[in-house]
Amino acid sequence: MDDIIFGIIFILVVGVIPGGLTLWNCMNLFAKTPKKPKLAFWLTFLIGGILYILLYDISFDTAGDWYEVIYDIQLHYSISTQYGLSILILVIFGALGMMLLCGCKTEKLPPLVSAFAVAATVIFQVIQIAFALQISKHINESIEYLFYVYHTNLFVLAVTGVRCLMKQQMKYYESVRCAGTEQEECTVKQGWLYRIINTFSKYTVLIFLCLFFVIAVFEVLFILFGQGVDAPIKAFTDTADWTFSKQIPPPPLEYDGHYLCTVAAGGHKRVVKPLRYGRRRGRKIIVNRQLCIANAFEDYIKEKLPRFHKAVRNFYDTHGYPLSKLITTPARADMVYVLMKPFEWCFLIFLYLFDVRPEERIGRQYR
């Protein structure tokens, strides 16, 4: 029964919700009168964004900039942290622009605000398309193609928003022409040409000026923060393992099948709390306290009860390696870390009951 419920929830979250929102947005794009486009935008933008972040966390185990040593089951960051601030600023302004253009009543926005919304939305589309291409190198599983469902929806929403704004502007100029102002007393063809020219002359230039102003502001911010005007490009290229990556990373560390080693190296730092680097069988590994306590317990058993240790070691080698192959994401590593906590406390209590210097034994593990 639990499997059936889980399956229904999974299908709903992975298939029905994204598919329904995509169909809704596409219908609004081609409809003469879109149906509740603002609601469609907010549902897509928020729900899709949450699902996107969760899927990214599950799909990619990222752990460091291109120059940092990581494990061979991991990837370097898809955006350089050195230049990430530039992308963050662009994304914030771009998201704000899309919210104004697609999530608010544009007919009530002043001209300059509308122009900013369009300019920022264009910038946001450039960033989101670039990121879609950046991660394309590692899209392998069928579920990971949901990334592109969200990227496509963002583009469709942007086009729909610009289209609706243009329609509103055309209605405005139509009402002005029909009012019979001195400039617009003309034939139908002349009026049509005048509306087109008037739209381009006023709003295209205004949008360009606004876009230029936004870029100028970003350039000043980038210079003030030490980013440089080419920071958005370097944020994508100063990486390793991804589509636009230009850097060659150092050789990765190999994990050796010890699943607690995998947990210490692969989990989120705030959860698994890595302490330092250590050495295991001549290889460099990441060590946390849970790993040291477990190994100290094994070390004591090996010293005092060698036969029992042999049986324990054989069981661990038989089941630990297959388990370590399943720990492929930080979330899974975190889960194993939490599940191992009771064992960690039992090992620690045992050491403090029977070992004369337990902390000394724990501290010298993997030295």
Side-chain angles (χ1 to χ4, degrees):
M1 189 64 182
D2 291 340
D3 293 339
I4 295 175
I5 295 174
F6 176 78
I8 294 173
I9 295 174
F10 180 81
I11 293 173
L12 180 66
V13 172
V14 173
V16 176
I17 294 177
L21 289 174
T22 302
L23 181 62
W24 189 358
N25 291 326
C26 290
M27 290 177 63
N28 281 344
L29 176 63
F30 296 102
K32 292 183 178 180
T33 305
K35 294 182 179 180
K36 298 183 178 180
K38 311 304 179 187
L39 178 61
F41 166 77
W42 285 112
L43 289 176
T44 304
F45 195 76
L46 297 177
I47 296 177
I50 293 172
L51 294 177
Y52 191 99
I53 294 171
L54 291 175
L55 182 59
Y56 187 91
D57 188 62
I58 294 171
S59 302
F60 306 129
D61 180 7
T62 55
D65 278 310
W66 68 268
Y67 51 82
E68 297 182 72
V69 178
I70 62 174
Y71 278 81
D72 53 5
I73 62 172
Q74 298 174 316
L75 296 169
H76 292 88
Y77 293 144
S78 54
I79 298 294
S80 170
T81 58
Q82 184 178 358
Y83 301 100
L85 179 61
S86 61
I87 296 297
L88 179 61
I89 293 173
L90 290 174
V91 168
I92 291 174
F93 274 84
L96 179 61
M98 279 204 69
M99 290 176 189
L100 290 171
L101 181 65
C102 305
C104 300
K105 294 182 178 180
T106 49
E107 63 271 15
K108 294 184 178 181
L109 296 177
L112 280 176
V113 176
S114 297
F116 164 79
V118 173
T121 299
V122 170
I123 293 173
F124 187 76
Q125 294 308 305
V126 173
I127 295 297
Q128 69 106 355
I129 292 172
F131 190 76
L133 295 173
Q134 178 81 325
I135 65 174
S136 64
K137 186 176 180 179
H138 295 285
I139 302 298
N140 301 312
E141 302 293 335
S142 56
I143 192 174
E144 292 173 350
Y145 284 94
L146 287 175
F147 285 123
Y148 295 115
V149 173
Y150 187 59
H151 285 290
T152 301
N153 273 276
L154 289 178
F155 182 73
V156 169
L157 287 169
V159 174
T160 303
V162 173
R163 181 169 172 264
C164 291
L165 181 62
M166 290 181 64
K167 283 186 175 181
Q168 291 172 10
Q169 296 305 320
M170 291 297 291
K171 287 181 180 179
Y172 167 74
Y173 286 115
E174 179 67 24
S175 65
V176 172
R177 188 185 69 84
C178 292
T181 60
E182 184 178 349
Q183 282 184 314
E184 294 170 336
E185 291 176 351
C186 48
T187 65
V188 174
K189 289 184 179 180
Q190 288 174 330
W192 178 77
L193 289 173
Y194 179 79
R195 288 197 303 272
I196 298 297
I197 295 172
N198 202 25
T199 300
F200 280 129
S201 64
K202 288 186 178 180
Y203 278 88
T204 302
V205 173
L206 187 61
I207 290 171
F208 173 79
L209 290 175
C210 183
L211 183 60
F212 177 81
F213 176 75
V214 171
I215 293 174
V217 171
F218 288 151
E219 181 177 354
V220 172
L221 290 173
F222 297 158
I223 293 172
L224 290 177
F225 284 103
Q227 298 285 294
V229 70
D230 58 347
I233 298 175
K234 287 186 176 180
F236 287 94
T237 59
D238 269 24
T239 58
D241 308 328
W242 304 92
T243 302
F244 298 121
S245 299
K246 299 297 183 182
Q247 303 297 342
I248 300 176
L253 299 171
E254 296 182 4
Y255 79 101
D256 61 355
H258 191 313
Y259 71 82
L260 287 185
C261 291
T262 307
V263 168
H268 292 99
K269 292 182 180 180
R270 65 181 181 276
V271 178
V272 301
K273 299 178 178 64
L275 295 175
R276 55 178 171 81
Y277 285 109
R279 306 294 300 184
R280 178 179 172 82
R281 298 175 183 173
R283 292 201 293 263
K284 193 176 183 180
I285 64 170
I286 296 175
V287 174
N288 66 353
R289 182 165 174 81
Q290 186 178 83
L291 176 60
C292 289
I293 290 174
N295 212 64
F297 171 77
E298 181 186 355
D299 184 62
Y300 182 88
I301 295 298
K302 182 179 180 180
E303 181 182 306
K304 303 298 182 181
L305 302 168
R307 290 187 179 180
F308 178 68
H309 169 263
K310 186 176 180 180
V312 173
R313 184 72 254 180
N314 181 63
F315 177 85
Y316 189 86
D317 289 339
T318 302
H319 297 87
Y321 181 67
L323 179 59
S324 68
K325 294 175 70 175
L326 300 176
I327 307 173
T328 56
T329 66
R332 293 182 182 180
D334 295 345
M335 186 182 300
V336 174
Y337 176 84
V338 173
L339 292 175
M340 281 297 298
K341 265 297 176 183
F343 294 97
E344 175 189 340
W345 295 330
C346 291
F347 295 156
L348 188 62
I349 292 171
F350 179 90
L351 289 172
Y352 269 83
L353 282 174
F354 297 102
D355 196 5
V356 178
R357 295 182 179 86
E359 286 299 330
E360 182 180 322
R361 186 183 294 271
I362 292 170
R364 67 169 179 259
Q365 301 305 309
Y366 301 107
R367 293 292 186 179

